[in-house]
Amino acid sequence: FLTDAAALAPSLALADQRKTKHIILFTSDGVRWQDLFTGIDPLLRTEKSAGMGSGSAGLSNRLWKPTPEERRSALMPFFWNTLVPRGVLLGNLNRGCSMQVSNRYRVSYPGYSEILTGRAQDDAIQGNEPMQNPTPSFLQFLKERSKLTPEQVAVFASWNVFHSIAESRPGDIFINAGYEGCPLPGNSAKVALLNRLQTEARFLDLSSRHDAFTFGLAMEYLAGVRPEHMFISFDETDDWAHNQRYDQVLESLQYFDHALKTLWSYIQDSPKYRDRTTLVVTADHGRGSTLSDWPDHGPKVPGDEQIWAAFIGPDTPARGELSNRPVRYQRDIAPTILELLGIEGGAYAGVTGSVIPEA
């Protein structure tokens, strides 16, 4: 995946200027920019067709606040009160800061591939079928560049299609996705319990397990193996939306916030990762904004190209939520991550995205 050796010399100089040595990418599927930036949606707050009937009154009342800023902090307090002030966040259309997917399909596989390869592949990836990605991901690139073992670049995902999405060659990196047991050295009692319970506590279908099992296994792996780079991907925010359960979308966002807090606390307590890790948080696509299309996304749903991304780490200035910026794209995430690691453009061939300078 590397270009010629001459391209590596400038990268070595840039790497000396960077404190970031590890990347943790964390996504939650189909999280709307509206929910992230403005909290519980006034349009859906009491909508029975969205699962917000009398049984959800307590949830609605707890999350409802007078202003969007208060509502979003009530929904995701750790994200807004701790992470955002320490880094940069893009994607609030209300503040003139748009971030968009550039693939035309606006569904999950094309979106995740765009994040992981720095390019849209509209001719090759047109839906969610589990075909092997034709392009090596930046995770594979990092593994080869640093001569790492597969176990040192790890993916933990709720959706089983990540075995196809995250690598072009099966077995190149470590992937645990869907209803799949995780082998760890010693197979601790907690890991064994998680491996068993994930198959007993089935979710909506056979393609995705509960995010709690994905996260539990990821954290055990992080502590036990201490990989150089990791990607964690949640799925319940999208699954519940497709099932028109906005109440469960909100609950899933609150769990996502809890997971971010747990992960960040671990990073700060770890001599290996503290002050040497950049956390990148984003989504694969947006979704609709009306009563009829909020559960959906795809080429015919207006506005679902809008996404968001946060960068928090030792090389990212603490600018918080950005305003009045040029449009950034999903394809820009991979080259930005590589730049944060001190790898200059051109080393990872074929990228069409650009470095986000604010990150």
Side-chain angles (χ1 to χ4, degrees), residues 104-126:
R104 74 166 69 105
Y105 297 104
R106 309 202 293 271
V107 295
S108 291
Y109 189 152
Y112 288 122
S113 178
E114 188 173 334
I115 292 170
L116 291 171
T117 67
R119 71 206 79 186
Q121 302 185 81
D122 287 345
D123 291 339
I125 301 171
Q126 301 177 0

Side-chain angles (χ1 to χ4, degrees), residues 298-312:
K300 296 181 180 180
V301 178
D304 66 348
E305 74 279 359
Q306 299 294 334
I307 58 166
W308 50 273
F311 298 81
I312 307 96

Side-chain angles (χ1 to χ4, degrees), residues 52-162:
M52 298 296 290
S54 58
S56 299
L59 174 68
S60 178
N61 292 336
R62 177 165 53 84
L63 296 179
W64 183 255
K65 307 293 178 184
T67 68
E69 290 76 18
E70 291 174 292
R71 292 196 293 272
R72 69 192 190 185
S73 290
L75 180 61
M76 298 184 67
F78 181 77
F79 180 80
W80 281 105
N81 299 332
T82 300
L83 287 184
V84 172
R86 297 187 182 200
V88 299
L89 173 63
L90 305 96
N92 190 349
L93 283 182
N94 294 333
R95 296 184 61 167
C97 185
S98 174
M99 189 168 193
Q100 303 176 9
V101 303
S102 61
N103 71 80
R104 74 166 69 105
Y105 297 104
R106 309 202 293 271
V107 295
S108 291
Y109 189 152
Y112 288 122
S113 178
E114 188 173 334
I115 292 170
L116 291 171
T117 67
R119 71 206 79 186
Q121 302 185 81
D122 287 345
D123 291 339
I125 301 171
Q126 301 177 0
N128 290 332
E129 294 76 17
M131 55 166 281
Q132 210 69 41
N133 199 322
T135 300
S137 67
F138 79 79
L139 296 171
Q140 290 176 270
F141 167 79
L142 291 174
K143 179 246 183 181
E144 181 178 280
R145 179 185 176 89
S146 299
K147 297 180 171 58
L148 302 172
T149 64
E151 292 74 22
Q152 287 299 307
V153 182
V155 176
F156 281 81
S158 297
W159 191 31
N160 61 10
V161 181
F162 270 93

Side-chain angles (χ1 to χ4, degrees), residues 36-340:
L36 187 81
F37 288 101
T38 67
I40 185 172
D41 191 334
L43 189 67
L44 299 174
R45 179 190 173 196
T46 59
E47 179 58 41
K48 292 182 180 179
S49 69
M52 298 296 290
S54 58
S56 299
L59 174 68
S60 178
N61 292 336
R62 177 165 53 84
L63 296 179
W64 183 255
K65 307 293 178 184
T67 68
E69 290 76 18
E70 291 174 292
R71 292 196 293 272
R72 69 192 190 185
S73 290
L75 180 61
M76 298 184 67
F78 181 77
F79 180 80
W80 281 105
N81 299 332
T82 300
L83 287 184
V84 172
R86 297 187 182 200
V88 299
L89 173 63
L90 305 96
N92 190 349
L93 283 182
N94 294 333
R95 296 184 61 167
C97 185
S98 174
M99 189 168 193
Q100 303 176 9
V101 303
S102 61
N103 71 80
R104 74 166 69 105
Y105 297 104
R106 309 202 293 271
V107 295
S108 291
Y109 189 152
Y112 288 122
S113 178
E114 188 173 334
I115 292 170
L116 291 171
T117 67
R119 71 206 79 186
Q121 302 185 81
D122 287 345
D123 291 339
I125 301 171
Q126 301 177 0
N128 290 332
E129 294 76 17
M131 55 166 281
Q132 210 69 41
N133 199 322
T135 300
S137 67
F138 79 79
L139 296 171
Q140 290 176 270
F141 167 79
L142 291 174
K143 179 246 183 181
E144 181 178 280
R145 179 185 176 89
S146 299
K147 297 180 171 58
L148 302 172
T149 64
E151 292 74 22
Q152 287 299 307
V153 182
V155 176
F156 281 81
S158 297
W159 191 31
N160 61 10
V161 181
F162 270 93
H163 278 288
S164 300
I165 300 172
E167 60 185 0
S168 59
R169 290 195 300 247
D172 226 28
I173 58 178
F174 180 88
I175 299 176
N176 178 272
Y179 291 92
E180 181 177 24
C182 178
L184 278 177
N187 195 23
S188 71
K190 185 174 181 180
V191 172
L193 179 62
L194 290 169
N195 285 340
R196 177 172 63 82
L197 288 179
Q198 67 170 312
T199 63
E200 296 178 359
R202 291 286 179 173
F203 192 36
L204 294 171
D205 61 46
L206 296 179
S207 69
S208 295
R209 65 186 167 196
H210 282 288
D211 293 336
F213 296 115
T214 296
F215 187 64
L217 291 171
M219 290 304 299
E220 290 299 307
Y221 191 94
L222 191 63
V225 179
R226 302 199 307 160
E228 295 300 297
H229 310 291
M230 178 175 270
F231 175 24
I232 305 171
S233 179
F234 282 2
D235 203 56
E236 290 194 40
T237 41
D238 186 70
D239 291 326
W240 286 121
H242 282 305
N243 280 270
Q244 301 185 51
R245 288 296 302 273
Y246 188 61
D247 57 334
Q248 293 301 314
V249 172
L250 296 172
E251 296 278 11
S252 297
L253 281 169
Q254 293 194 296
Y255 180 71
F256 183 39
D257 190 66
H258 163 76
L260 287 168
K261 181 178 181 179
T262 302
L263 173 62
W264 185 255
S265 297
Y266 177 82
I267 291 171
Q268 298 313 304
D269 289 341
S270 167
K272 173 171 181 170
Y273 296 114
R274 183 178 59 247
D275 300 325
R276 295 162 55 86
T277 302
T278 290
L279 173 63
V280 181
V281 190
T282 188
D284 53 331
H285 55 73
R287 48 192 349 111
S289 59
T290 70
L291 283 178
S292 62
D293 68 12
W294 76 267
D296 301 323
H297 57 93
K300 296 181 180 180
V301 178
D304 66 348
E305 74 279 359
Q306 299 294 334
I307 58 166
W308 50 273
F311 298 81
I312 307 96
D315 300 299
T316 298
R319 295 175 178 167
E321 185 181 6
L322 300 183
S323 303
N324 301 317
R325 293 295 198 278
V327 177
R328 304 296 180 196
Y329 294 95
Q330 193 172 55
R331 66 188 181 219
D332 299 336
I333 293 172
T336 302
I337 286 172
L338 296 179
E339 203 275 346
L340 287 166

